Amino acid sequence: MVPRVPHPWRLHDSQAAGDLFAPLARESVEVLAFVYLGAGQQVLGMRHARSLQSDRLDLPIRAIAADALAFDACGLVMAHNHPSGDPTPSQADREATRRLARALDPLGIRLLDHLVVAARGITSFRSLGFL
């Protein structure tokens, strides 16, 4: 069973999501993080996946979808860090985001944003028009 957040907490906008994921900038290896949201943007739960490498992490689409279904989530925000300090999304980041959004869509789950967190800032895929 996936643990639930014990109190109602809402993720109102991309600034709140950025604040939530900002600590990822201090990680020395890539870390994926997901926050699963209900219909009213309430946080239902979170999950992190750490890499053994500093510059690569596989996107576990099946596990992400399973968690979203277990939480009965309507949407999710994902984030990952760039230990290099540069928050610019790579082509691989863009492709992985498209794959995840396509996989979640038939389940009625919306990928609301993907944030790249780094020492030099946070980049939002939604604000760049990638989602």
Side-chain angles (χ1 to χ4, degrees), residues 59-72:
L59 186 66
I61 291 176
R62 289 172 56 109
I64 296 163
D67 283 348
L69 291 170
F71 283 123
D72 196 24

Side-chain angles (χ1 to χ4, degrees), residues 47 126-127:
R47 169 99 52 197
R126 175 121 350 246
S127 68

Side-chain angles (χ1 to χ4, degrees), residues 9 12 40 47 49 59 62 65 70 73 85 90 95 99 107 111 121-122 124 131:
W9 181 42
H12 293 289
R47 169 99 52 197
L59 186 66
R62 289 172 56 109
S90 68
E95 290 169 9
R99 280 194 335 269
L107 302 174
L111 179 57
I122 298 175
S124 160
L131 281 173

Side-chain angles (χ1 to χ4, degrees), residues 75-94:
L76 65 93
V77 176
M78 72 178 284
H80 82 283
N81 65 316
H82 280 180
S84 68
D86 181 1
T88 304
S90 68
Q91 186 61 35
D93 294 340
R94 292 173 69 175

